[in-house]
């Protein structure tokens, strides 16, 4: 699977639909932003990243989508950037239908309490959270599912996973 093609698998797995409002945590150079934006029709994807270099690359890569209003970029670190700043990228009173991250290790290497809190504040009542891992190659590193399950539970979520031989997508569903 080519590197960028993995984003199609992630989008299919997450059930990305036209018209949705999507937040990507750590989009890096923007390859995922363009793939997801193409599926959104009148929707919008907002990418928040702490790296000015990555944001500059994403701005160049997504120039047409940014000009069309389908992609917006925010400079900030998830858990430190305010939920209000992220929600300001949407129409007033709206929240995100989907929040996802690809290869953001924060969520399995530590508790990420502030990041989970920001996601809760930004997510629509029927919204979805997905954390995705892998590069679509035989040597793709993915976190241990047991560790993801432990971290999700500590944040108040159940972890449900979908995998291929090289990719992992984990859905966070609130615990009862």
């Amino acid at each position: 699977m080519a590197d960028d093609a993995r984003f199609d698998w992630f989008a299919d797995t997450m059930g990305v639909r036209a018209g949705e409002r999507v937040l990507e945590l750590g989009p890096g150079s923007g390859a995922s932003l363009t793939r997801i934006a193409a599926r959104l029709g009148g929707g919008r994807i907002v990418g928040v990243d702490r790296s000015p270099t990555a944001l500059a690359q994403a701005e160049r890569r997504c120039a047409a989508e940014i000009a069309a209003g389908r992609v917006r970029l925010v400079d900030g670190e998830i858990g430190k950037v305010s939920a209000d700043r992220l929600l300001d990228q949407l129409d007033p009173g709206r929240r995100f239908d989907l929040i996802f991250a690809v290869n953001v290790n924060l969520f399995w290497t530590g508790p990420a309490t502030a990041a989970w809190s920001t996601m809760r504040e930004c997510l629509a009542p029927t919204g979805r959270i997905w954390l995705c891992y892998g590069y679509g190659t035989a040597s793709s590193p993915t976190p241990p599912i047991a560790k993801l399950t432990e971290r999700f539970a500590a944040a108040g979520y159940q972890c449900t996973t979908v995998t291929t031989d090289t990719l992992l997508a984990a859905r966070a569903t609130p615990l009862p």
Side-chain angles (χ1 to χ4, degrees), residues 21 83-84 86-97 121-125:
R21 297 168 307 275
D84 287 340
L86 298 171
L87 293 170
D88 282 348
Q89 305 304 310
L90 303 175
D91 295 329
R94 304 306 296 257
R95 296 194 181 281
F96 291 98
D97 302 301
E121 288 182 60
C122 289
L123 193 64

Side-chain angles (χ1 to χ4, degrees), residues 1-7 9-10 102-103 133-143 163-168:
M1 180 179 298
D3 184 42
D4 285 355
R6 68 191 160 123
F7 298 120
W9 184 85
F10 290 139
V102 177
N103 294 326
Y133 297 92
Y135 294 95
T137 63
S139 61
S140 287
T142 59
T163 62
T164 70
D165 55 340
T166 61
L167 300 172
L168 166 68

Side-chain angles (χ1 to χ4, degrees), residues 129-152:
I129 297 173
W130 284 88
L131 302 179
C132 304
Y133 297 92
Y135 294 95
T137 63
S139 61
S140 287
T142 59
I145 292 174
K147 183 54 83 174
L148 278 177
T149 300
E150 174 187 319
R151 296 293 187 201
F152 278 43

Side-chain angles (χ1 to χ4, degrees), residues 145 148-150 152-153 157-161 168-173 175:
I145 292 174
L148 278 177
T149 300
E150 174 187 319
F152 278 43
Y157 292 90
Q158 176 182 343
C159 177
T160 307
T161 60
L168 166 68
R171 183 172 182 174
T173 308
L175 290 170

Side-chain angles (χ1 to χ4, degrees), residues 23-26 48 77-84 86-87 95-101 104 106-107 111-125 127-131 133 151-152 155 157 170 172:
L23 174 62
E24 182 177 4
L25 314 175
V48 58
E77 185 174 341
I78 190 62
K80 292 184 180 177
V81 64
S82 74
D84 287 340
L86 298 171
L87 293 170
R95 296 194 181 281
F96 291 98
D97 302 301
L98 170 64
I99 298 175
F100 79 101
V104 175
L106 168 73
F107 295 101
T113 306
W116 283 104
S117 178
T118 300
M119 289 192 295
R120 264 188 219 93
E121 288 182 60
C122 289
L123 193 64
R128 309 172 315 280
I129 297 173
W130 284 88
L131 302 179
Y133 297 92
R151 296 293 187 201
F152 278 43
Y157 292 90

